């Protein structure tokens, strides 16, 4: 077993100007805003995206749980990124994080230190994105995560008891990445690094964009087939029309080669490009083998434990995806219907890393001492 490394502040992605300067950076390529506290662990989506972007050679910073109740300085403190802003509501839909099924405010937020509530706004992805577009109208905003994935078409919002349009419409974002973001992000970054304008990225797999057909045409992609679902306005008029959309979406999600989905929203057309093929073993290994500290950022040391981290910190994820499609679960809707498995070598490497975490060593020593006492 390897000795556990003592971490330094630079082992985490920077969250403040001070941490950016420590790295000697004068400019950031991507700034990620998240509704969760920053836990640098492969079970926390914002950390995965940050590490993936970092692995592409980008200078990435993360702003966890920015305040939306003051002068909004959290959105300006790191300045403009060179490529784009990224925004996510976090590992759970913010409305599920904030409310019970009876629509009462929850007493705790599992993704906040000490379980404190009030650090994540309702509909966080849209809130963050709109603020960024208002303050930096010339900088692209890319949204993703579970909230963006599940709200990418006309959807029933339980909390307001209304049908809402695609989150691209309400957030004013430039692009939506649905599902697990490693594959589309790789292509997006490669094209941007070649000088391709963000505004021309209309046919990246596993992304969605809004196109005003009075101003531009929907690009034709060789080998892709299209399916047009009922418009948002048609859904508002008839429940069965709305329900029929989800039959199409469910059918497409079960195909190895899905069609591109088009939906009218006012003067715009929502374009949901088909997903990437299921990640290969090498690709998924690459995501889990990144240099995570597996710990919350040190800024939270005096604020108390993060409940979601306490539950998951010694767990090992061996695959993604689910073919079940259970009505109470969003795994298949977000991670896909097809299973992507890690290699044995990658899993065992993570097991070794977990076994060497200081806190787990301490627990092991306590158990050994107690066993010796019992034997005596």
């Amino acid at each position: 077993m390897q000795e556990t490394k003592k971490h330094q502040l630079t082992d985490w992605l920077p969250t403040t100007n001070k941490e950016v300067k420590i790295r000697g950076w004068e400019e950031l390529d991507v700034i990620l805003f998240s509704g969760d506290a920053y836990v640098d662990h492969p079970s926390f989506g914002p950390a995965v995206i940050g590490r993936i972007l970092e692995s592409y050679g980008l200078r990435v910073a993360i702003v966890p749980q920015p305040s939306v109740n003051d002068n909004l300085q959290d959105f300006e403190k790191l300045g403009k990124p060179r490529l784009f802003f990224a925004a996510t509501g976090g590992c759970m839909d913010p409305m599920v994080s904030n409310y019970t099924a009876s629509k009462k405010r929850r007493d705790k937020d599992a993704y906040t230190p000490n379980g404190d509530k009030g650090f994540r706004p309702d509909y966080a992805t849209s809130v963050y994105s709109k603020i960024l577009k208002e303050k930096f109208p010339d900088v692209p905003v890319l949204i993703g995560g579970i909230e963006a994935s599940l709200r990418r078409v006309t959807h029933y919002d339980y909390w307001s008891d209304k049908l809402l349009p695609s989150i691209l419409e309400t957030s004013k974002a430039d692009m939506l990445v649905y599902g697990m973001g490693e594959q589309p992000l790789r292509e997006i970054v490669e094209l941007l690094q070649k000088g391709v304008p963000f505004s021309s990225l209309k046919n990246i797999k596993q992304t969605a964009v809004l196109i005003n057909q009075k101003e531009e045409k929907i690009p034709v992609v060789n080998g892709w087939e299209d399916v047009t679902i009922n418009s948002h306005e048609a859904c508002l008029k008839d429940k069965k029309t709305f329900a029929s959309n989800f039959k199409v979406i469910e059918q497409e999600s079960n195909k190895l080669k899905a069609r591109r989905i088009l939906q009218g929203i006012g003067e715009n057309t929502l374009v949901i490009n088909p997903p990437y093929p299921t990640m290969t073993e090498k690709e998924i290994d690459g995501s889990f083998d990144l240099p995570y500290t597996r710990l919350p950022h040190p800024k939270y040391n005096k604020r108390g434990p993060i409940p979601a981290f306490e539950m998951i910190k010694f767990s090992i994820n061996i695959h993604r995806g689910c073919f079940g499609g259970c009505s109470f679960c969003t795994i298949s809707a977000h991670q896909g219907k097809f299973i992507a498995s890690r290699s044995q070598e990658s899993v065992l490497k993570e097991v070794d890393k977990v076994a060497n975490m200081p806190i787990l060593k301490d627990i092991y020593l306590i158990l050994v001492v107690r066993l010796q006492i019992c034997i005596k």
Side-chain angles (χ1 to χ4, degrees), residues 112-129:
T112 303
N114 203 39
D116 292 340
K117 61 182 180 179
F119 286 83
R120 183 199 317 269
D122 294 351
Y123 308 104
T125 302
S126 290
V127 172
Y128 297 158
S129 179

Side-chain angles (χ1 to χ4, degrees), residues 149-199:
S149 277
L150 298 187
R151 295 173 181 266
R152 62 184 182 264
V153 294
T154 297
H155 57 281
Y156 174 67
D157 181 68
Y158 173 74
W159 320 102
S160 63
D161 194 26
K162 294 178 181 177
L163 286 187
L164 298 182
S166 167
I167 193 172
L168 271 173
E169 175 72 21
T170 54
S171 69
K172 308 305 177 187
D174 299 277
M175 180 186 288
L176 182 156
V177 170
Y178 66 91
M180 312 309 284
E182 291 97 334
Q183 294 163 298
L185 280 174
R186 181 178 62 235
E187 184 174 351
I188 290 167
V189 170
E190 286 176 353
L191 291 171
L192 292 176
Q193 295 284 51
K194 291 177 181 177
V196 178
F198 195 101
S199 59

Side-chain angles (χ1 to χ4, degrees), residues 257-282:
K257 187 177 180 181
R259 293 178 289 180
R260 179 170 60 178
I261 298 173
L262 309 177
Q263 184 191 30
I265 305 176
E267 295 183 352
N268 296 321
T269 299
L270 171 67
V271 180
I272 303 176
N273 294 322
Y276 271 88
T278 304
M279 292 179 78
T280 64
E281 187 178 86
K282 183 178 179 181

Side-chain angles (χ1 to χ4, degrees), residues 175 199-205 207-213 215-226 260-262 269-274:
M175 180 186 288
S199 59
S200 67
L201 304 180
K202 307 293 187 185
N203 57 356
I204 308 292
K205 287 183 178 179
T207 67
V209 293
L210 281 177
I211 292 179
N212 188 323
Q213 292 198 64
E215 300 175 359
E216 57 182 318
K217 293 182 179 179
I218 296 172
V220 176
V221 182
N222 291 333
W224 285 13
E225 294 182 19
D226 292 343
R260 179 170 60 178
I261 298 173
L262 309 177
T269 299
L270 171 67
V271 180
I272 303 176
N273 294 322

Side-chain angles (χ1 to χ4, degrees), residues 71-88:
N71 60 2
L72 306 179
Q73 62 181 2
D74 283 346
F75 293 87
E76 299 177 300
K77 65 182 182 181
L78 297 180
K80 288 184 181 183
R82 184 175 65 89
L83 297 179
F84 57 85
F85 287 113
T88 176

Side-chain angles (χ1 to χ4, degrees), residues 92-108:
M92 291 177 65
D93 186 291
M95 300 307 288
V96 178
S97 290
N98 290 346
Y99 296 92
T100 68
S102 57
K103 300 185 180 180
K104 294 180 180 179
R105 274 276 176 185
R106 292 191 187 275
D107 295 327
K108 298 283 186 180

